[in-house]
Amino acid sequence: MKNQKQTIRKIVGFLNNVDEDGGFWLPNIQRPFVWSEEQICRLFDSILREYPISTLLVWKTTSGIRRRKFIDNWKYTLRLSDFYVPENNKKKSLVLDGQQRLQSLFIGLCGSYEGKELHFDVLSGEIASPDDIKYRFSFLDSAATSFPWVRFKDLIFTTHKKREIFDAIKSMSGRPLTSEEEDKLDDHIDLIDRTFKMDEAITYQELDSIDNPNLYTEDDVVEVFIRANSGGTKLGKSDLLFSLLNASWEVADQKMEDLLDCLNKHGFAFDRDFVLKTCLVLLGQGARYEVTKFRKPGVREDIEDKWVEISTAIQDVIDFVRSKTFIQCDKALPSHLVLMPLIYVRYHFQEEWKKAKDVDSYLLRTLLTGAFSGQSDNLIDSLVRKFKELASFSAEEAFAVIRSQGRSLELTEGRFWQMGYGSANIHLLFNLWYPKFTYVPAYDNNLPQIDHIFPRSRLEQIKVINPETGRHVMKYREQARNQLANCMLLTRAENGSGGKSDTSPADWFYGKDMEYLELHLIPKNPVLWQMDRYDDFIEERKTLIRNRFKSLLI
């Protein structure tokens, strides 16, 4: 194994470039790119702060292994299959560890993120603590940006001399720069040259199967990939398991991508973890999620052979949930695990599934009480055994199994009022509360939003005197501000720009008709809408909410 070093600008030039010793590519066993804009910006901040970048791992080979390009212009709607590269037996290097960092560098220096390009604030750089941002980066619309923001790629891939770059940026400001600003700009240009163009800041270990073709087989490389990525938190377990499945099943990534696209097109967010764990449950391997199960003889072959039946069963249950229950989006489904016993029934007992009753009751009770929270593998296995014994679904028997595991299905008032702003179950409750709201929007940001009736910012300003210290302190702490009785569901338009924002209840409810107040369970006495009547409003609204959901409470 060789250790190599390169500058960042040079290493980025290797990506997708056959003229650079065959180029760097991604093997199909690699997971999709998952970093956010903020994570990418933090990487660039770390580089300018001269923090070390972890060592990369690449495999130099002539193998015809399936691979794909690095993505320059990133969008959430992209499909990995669009970036496949035809197989060949030419020289190439496949990145086994370091995809997220290299992909982030490629997007920042050569492409864009959702149509926006990486910009650098040339006047940033103030002293910051290690976990704060020192050098400000942001993905912005280049046509709408102005000084001190500069498109970062223009500073990296340029043939201009330092003085020319300095003068060009200075002219962008449209005003005289102070001597301190000129010094900072001068220092930043030097820093960028050093960290991105001069220092060999990236080290990568190279598994060379060209000079020694027998040293690393494809199976060896899959094992190296798993071991390299299982020691930390870089990969989820699904990525490790999927690497095994993908190594033996040529179209596994395409099939998985198609299934997830189908499942998630109506506002859900299922992932490979869910699908792979469900495969184990359906094939009698138990719910415990382990790499060793995917290494057992026949398991991967079973998944491939039975994929049509497995994916159809998963889709049928998700379609049932979406169309026949109160769960309209992923936010109202705090646990995906609750679905696995249902998918088992649909997969093994299709005709009985068609006659299943009280599925909505099973979902509501288990989700609201968090019956599948914590370690739930034993619970899933117990439910599967019971449904296998019955050869059908039974909500009553399911509840008995759940209680036998020491899990409560009772929704007490105490547990009910714990559902407040930011809690896992509040969207589920609001799906019951607001059945006519649409959760299948044209785009994700158009989903209905939970908002505070009495704005948090206004409640934070209300002070009382601490009798022990004599100091003014905040009257309503976070728990009091975020409680369920201070929450309502608004459309994106109501809560967006020019919408409710920090409008007081008295102003927001003024002129609203009775139908609107009844929908949101708002006390009709306008006096209670005043900021100084918050406590009285909460007590009155709790009564309305309690009456609305009394059938759920014990």
Side-chain angles (χ1 to χ4, degrees), residues 335 337-341 362 366-367 369-376 379-380 383 402 407:
S335 172
L337 301 179
V338 69
L339 301 177
M340 290 183 186
Y362 160 81
T366 55
L367 290 171
T369 58
F372 280 77
S373 60
Q375 296 296 321
S376 55
L379 175 59
I380 294 172
L383 287 169
I402 293 169
R407 296 172 183 254

Side-chain angles (χ1 to χ4, degrees), residues 17 46 70 122 127 139 152 159 191 204 265 285 339 375 382 389 433 450 470 479 509:
N17 189 351
S46 297
F70 284 85
V122 295
I127 295 175
F139 284 92
F152 196 64
T159 58
L191 178 61
Y204 62 95
K265 65 183 178 182
Q285 297 297 320
L339 301 177
Q375 296 296 321
S382 296
E389 174 189 325
W433 186 334
I450 294 173
Q479 185 175 357
F509 295 132

Side-chain angles (χ1 to χ4, degrees), residues 9 35 89 214 239 281 459 502:
R9 185 169 71 169
W35 276 20
N89 295 314
N214 298 321
D239 302 296
V281 171
L459 291 174
D502 62 350

Side-chain angles (χ1 to χ4, degrees), residues 28 67-69 79-86 250-254 257:
N28 278 5
R67 71 191 196 280
R68 65 180 189 267
K69 298 178 184 177
R79 295 169 61 92
L80 293 186
S81 54
D82 295 334
F83 296 88
Y84 291 168
V85 177
E250 292 185 356
V251 294
D253 47 1
Q254 180 67 60
E257 195 172 67

Side-chain angles (χ1 to χ4, degrees), residues 175-353:
R175 62 171 175 81
L177 298 182
T178 66
S179 59
E180 290 81 3
E181 289 174 333
E182 288 193 359
D183 288 344
K184 181 174 287 188
L185 177 57
D186 188 68
D187 290 342
H188 285 172
I189 295 173
D190 283 340
L191 178 61
I192 291 168
D193 281 349
R194 184 172 70 253
T195 53
F196 281 85
K197 306 176 189 179
M198 299 168 62
D199 292 347
E200 292 183 333
I202 291 187
T203 301
Y204 62 95
Q205 294 178 313
E206 187 178 77
L207 309 178
D208 193 343
S209 290
I210 295 179
D211 290 345
N212 191 343
N214 298 321
L215 185 58
Y216 301 106
T217 67
E218 290 187 17
D219 287 341
D220 291 329
V221 169
V222 170
E223 185 64 28
V224 169
F225 173 77
I226 291 174
R227 294 189 184 192
N229 289 286
S230 61
T233 58
K234 300 170 194 155
L235 292 181
K237 189 171 286 188
S238 69
D239 302 296
L240 303 177
L241 301 181
F242 195 66
S243 66
L244 292 172
L245 182 61
N246 207 11
S248 60
W249 184 16
E250 292 185 356
V251 294
D253 47 1
Q254 180 67 60
K255 295 293 186 182
M256 180 68 75
E257 195 172 67
D258 290 344
L259 175 59
L260 291 177
D261 282 350
C262 182
L263 297 180
N264 295 332
K265 65 183 178 182
H266 293 297
F268 289 98
F270 296 102
D271 56 19
R272 288 196 313 210
D273 279 301
F274 171 76
V275 174
L276 293 175
K277 190 179 182 77
T278 300
C279 287
L280 294 177
V281 171
L282 299 187
L283 298 178
Q285 297 297 320
R288 191 173 178 82
Y289 203 31
E290 298 173 318
V291 173
T292 54
K293 291 182 179 179
F294 280 76
R295 288 188 170 127
K296 289 171 61 176
V299 172
R300 285 175 283 173
E301 292 78 7
D302 265 0
I303 293 175
E304 180 179 354
D305 292 343
K306 299 172 181 176
W307 181 258
V308 172
E309 293 85 355
I310 291 172
S311 58
T312 300
I314 295 173
Q315 289 179 67
D316 279 357
V317 171
I318 305 307
D319 286 344
F320 175 88
V321 168
R322 184 178 63 84
S323 61
K324 299 291 180 64
T325 78
F326 39 82
I327 297 173
Q328 301 177 53
C329 71
D330 202 72
K331 287 187 175 181
L333 189 62
S335 172
H336 292 164
L337 301 179
V338 69
L339 301 177
M340 290 183 186
L342 300 180
I343 298 171
Y344 180 88
V345 174
R346 162 58 185 83
Y347 180 79
H348 289 281
F349 312 109
Q350 184 174 355
E351 292 304 314
E352 292 301 317
W353 167 252

Side-chain angles (χ1 to χ4, degrees), residues 481-492:
R481 300 192 302 267
N482 289 343
Q483 61 181 301
L484 177 61
N486 191 35
C487 294
M488 65 189 297
L489 195 67
L490 297 178
T491 65
R492 182 68 178 87

